[in-house]
Amino acid sequence: MTPGALAQAAIDLLDEIIEAAKAGGAAADTLIARYFKTRRYAGSKDRRAIRDLVYRAIRRAGNVPFSGRTALVGLAREDDAVAALFDGSVHAPAPIGPSELGSAAAALPDWLADRIAFEEHAALLERAQLDLRVNLSRTDRATMAALLDAVPTPHSPAGLRLPEGSPIETTEAWAQGLFEIQDEGSQLIALAAEAKPGMTVIDLCAGAGGKTLALSDEMRGQGRLIASDSNRARLSRLAPRAERMGGLAIETRLLDPGRERVALADLEDHCDVALVDAPCSGTGTWRRNPEARWRLTPARLSQLVELQARLFALAAMLVRPGGALVYAVCSLLPEEGRNQVDTFLARHPDFAADKLMFIAGREEGAGRLLTPAHDRTDGFFVARLRRA
């Protein structure tokens, strides 16, 4: 492909990504994969170049661009090499007009810019590193570090870190289930549960099961572990992952939104630990999914806050007397983190804040907040509560 054709391909992709963000459609990485699947003529170098242009344009635009061209013109105004791609040749975008506007550079959407600490803005635009969680029931971190040429993460005792894009899924250790891809922050959330062999533990919002697998590792396959979620497609991804990790015995329950209590009635007052990694704005993960900034709106945030409160209360129903409830969100916003816990504790006097087993991050109300700038993890809030 010619240099100009690469730029036009990036514009076409950005158009798709912008529309999907507005409509709640597929994520950018999914759209990019689909795009190249139908364009076999694009070689590996072409694909890398196009992807780089797309993500550079996404990362610099905190607000939703008017179009893919607007997004790339904004980047071209800052980079002469990109501007040169707008040469009007065959398959290339038309030249940029002298008064043509490009999207403005901004780290965050305007309505959120003052609600997240300024020191985090630049960190939320950086590329995230690749973190792994070593399956400690089958190997040890030092062995995996040497095998994969990785370095230990600073906070999780099971974590390893490599440069982004390291081809670890082609290794024999991956095939044998000796490690999982998991950000160190997510590993710490699972560790906050303090799951032990013989316990009854539920991962209420399990998704594809990354934290469920971490809990299983802590439990050494002994006890009862339940993974539940309302998203069938995501929950179905847990079984093959568990099989690769050694055929772990994990119960799964697909929940009907609004009727979760019926599906979980037999677990009322029975769980030693209930983990609620609640659906959230994902502001702490924007390093990995920068176009997610375009999806979040004030109305959507309000809906999420309401859902979090409902799931929080549902989890409380499942915890036995003396048991623990761990609440977490991958968010930097107080209304999703400390405020949720404060409200919950006011409504549930039989629960009280419990000490977390790690000291990473900073104290935030009854929990702790970890952030990309301060801790080099995805941003998240976590609190551990104990029922009397």
Side-chain angles (χ1 to χ4, degrees), residues 180-181 208-210 213 237-246 248:
E180 273 282 311
I181 298 173
L213 295 174
R237 290 160 56 189
L238 173 57
R241 294 176 74 182
E243 183 64 28
R244 187 178 60 82
M245 300 295 283
L248 306 175

Side-chain angles (χ1 to χ4, degrees), residues 223-236:
R224 186 180 183 192
L225 179 57
I226 305 102
S228 64
D229 202 275
S230 61
N231 188 313
R232 182 187 298 273
R234 293 187 68 196
L235 193 59
S236 67

